[in-house]
Amino acid sequence: MIETPPLVDQYCQGVLRTELGLATFEAQLIPPAGPPAAGTTFFDTQAGFAVRRWCPPLLGLEPHCAPARYLARRRELGAAETARRLLRGCGVGARLVDTAVPGDLTGPKELALAGAAEAFELVRPELLARQVADTSGTVAAFLANLAGAVHQAAAGAVAFTCGAGEEGRAWAAALEDEPEPPGPGEVRGAAGRWLAGRTRGGAVRDPVLLRHLAWSAVSSGLPLQLHTGGESGEPERLTGFLRATGGPGARLVLLGGYPHHRQAAGLAAAFPHVHADLGAALGSTGARAAAVLAECLETAPFGKLMFSGGGRQLPELHAVGALGFREALGRVLGGWVADGSWSWRDAERVAAMVAAGNARRVYRLDERG
């Protein structure tokens, strides 16, 4: 078995504090797609099978037990104890937490305590814009307050992260059409239009403002995470922006590229300041996780790849992401050792890099004390 240090999960969300019934739990197993077809269940997915494989033993049950039995055990333990067992049982030593997700979710400190691991904050620049807009009376005040908010966030967070799904599509469209930073006049005009037309707390969709936020994040000196794949679009749409940000100090991370993970790994190989996500798709691909992981490892230098579990809402998804990644990594690298392509020493060195070392270097976690 390939040994790895405690994982660094470079992107996750908090977990729900509330008890969940069958339908509510099942709805969280895969990204929002409406209810399952009549007579079917989302447990009959790779994600559902992965939960039934990895999570029951952490709660004192046999692997692959029936969903009803698993959820009964979950209710017996309670939400807090379930989360504690699942988060502590998956070998994660540090989590980078997106704090902008709505809902009754644990924050970084609570997640750190439940999981007995470090936790660091990820900040969404579009959320900063919405917050300062609610307290800024003029365009000039908004832009000044936004610059101050970005600076303040950079002092406490470890990275900026952009939204996924519909928000991810908006970011990709803005950066694809005009990858260069907008001029001051463009920014003032866009800010004025957005402030005049928005509702309180409304989302940022103006492409000029999104470009301004992206470049503000890059200029802050922190890494910028960009969601790709799935609803967010193909990673190659960001090629122009990746090229434009190639100056000293920039650090970009492409998250969640599946099913376009080869594209994301290829972009990481092409640009010195770009890194790609290894792990977020592995929980949802379940029994095929090793094949997906091997395709990423075929394409990019090993120093450009990092794990993320992509856990959201359910502590089960945190556990599945981490345990599935460890198993897939061991299967892939162990297979290469077995056929003589790699030595054990090299396999364990690369495993340590992609499991934790690269993330600690890119996000400068060890400088955080």
Side-chain angles (χ1 to χ4, degrees):
M1 184 65 181
I2 303 293
E3 295 293 330
T4 65
L7 303 178
V8 174
D9 185 344
Q10 68 166 336
Y11 179 86
C12 68
Q13 300 170 8
V15 301
L16 289 164
R17 299 186 179 94
T18 53
E19 301 287 351
L20 300 176
L22 174 60
T24 309
F25 183 93
E26 186 180 333
Q28 301 293 338
L29 281 176
I30 63 175
T40 71
T41 169
F42 283 148
F43 271 104
D44 286 334
T45 59
Q46 289 285 12
F49 273 44
V51 166
R52 291 174 55 214
R53 174 188 181 183
W54 294 111
C55 297
L58 298 180
L59 304 188
L61 299 173
E62 70 280 7
H64 307 293
C65 70
R69 177 170 164 76
Y70 178 78
L71 292 176
R73 176 60 172 163
R74 206 180 190 278
R75 288 191 297 272
E76 178 185 330
L77 292 171
E81 178 62 15
T82 295
R84 190 187 72 83
R85 293 191 183 196
L86 292 170
L87 293 172
R88 294 188 180 198
C90 58
V92 174
R95 295 181 171 90
L96 279 57
V97 187
D98 184 348
T99 57
V101 182
D104 185 21
L105 305 179
T106 55
K109 291 183 179 179
E110 195 174 350
L111 202 63
L113 182 62
E118 296 177 287
F120 303 94
E121 184 178 9
L122 300 170
V123 173
R124 294 197 191 186
E126 66 267 35
L127 179 61
L128 297 180
R130 286 156 50 190
Q131 290 172 339
V132 301
D134 290 337
T135 58
S136 301
T138 66
V139 170
F142 166 72
L143 293 176
N145 291 340
L146 179 59
V150 170
H151 177 77
Q152 183 177 1
V158 295
F160 288 100
T161 190
C162 299
E166 182 180 347
E167 292 180 347
R169 289 197 301 273
W171 280 97
L175 298 177
E176 179 183 27
D177 293 341
E178 294 286 347
E180 300 289 339
E186 286 184 272
V187 174
R188 286 193 297 272
R193 291 190 300 272
W194 180 64
L195 290 171
R198 68 187 285 276
T199 57
R200 186 175 181 86
V204 181
R205 290 291 183 267
D206 186 280
V208 174
L209 275 185
L210 290 174
R211 286 163 53 210
H212 176 64
L213 290 171
W215 279 97
S216 297
V218 170
S219 300
S220 75
L222 290 187
L224 172 62
Q225 299 179 341
L226 296 163
H227 286 264
T228 63
E231 294 182 14
S232 298
E234 296 186 14
E236 287 184 351
R237 297 180 66 189
L238 298 169
T239 301
F241 181 68
L242 304 184
R243 184 176 294 114
T245 54
R251 290 169 287 162
L252 303 183
V253 181
L254 303 178
L255 290 180
Y258 186 82
H260 309 292
H261 47 288
R262 282 184 180 272
Q263 283 187 20
L267 291 169
F271 295 99
H273 65 300
V274 177
H275 299 76
D277 175 28
L278 265 179
L282 303 186
S284 60
T285 53
R288 292 287 296 164
V292 174
L293 179 61
E295 290 177 343
C296 296
L297 291 168
E298 290 172 6
T299 308
F302 308 130
K304 306 298 290 298
L305 300 170
M306 298 183 288
F307 164 72
S308 79
R312 62 188 191 281
Q313 313 288 330
L314 299 178
E316 282 82 359
L317 299 180
H318 287 253
V320 163
L323 294 171
F325 169 77
R326 283 183 179 277
E327 196 270 346
L329 188 65
R331 188 186 304 178
V332 172
L333 300 189
W336 294 344
V337 170
D339 67 19
S341 298
W342 286 33
S343 70
W344 274 109
R345 178 176 296 179
D346 282 339
E348 292 195 339
R349 181 172 58 84
V350 170
M353 291 167 61
V354 300
N358 292 338
R360 289 198 169 275
R361 170 175 50 83
V362 170
Y363 296 104
R364 298 174 181 167
L365 299 185
D366 294 334
E367 299 176 16
R368 299 275 166 170

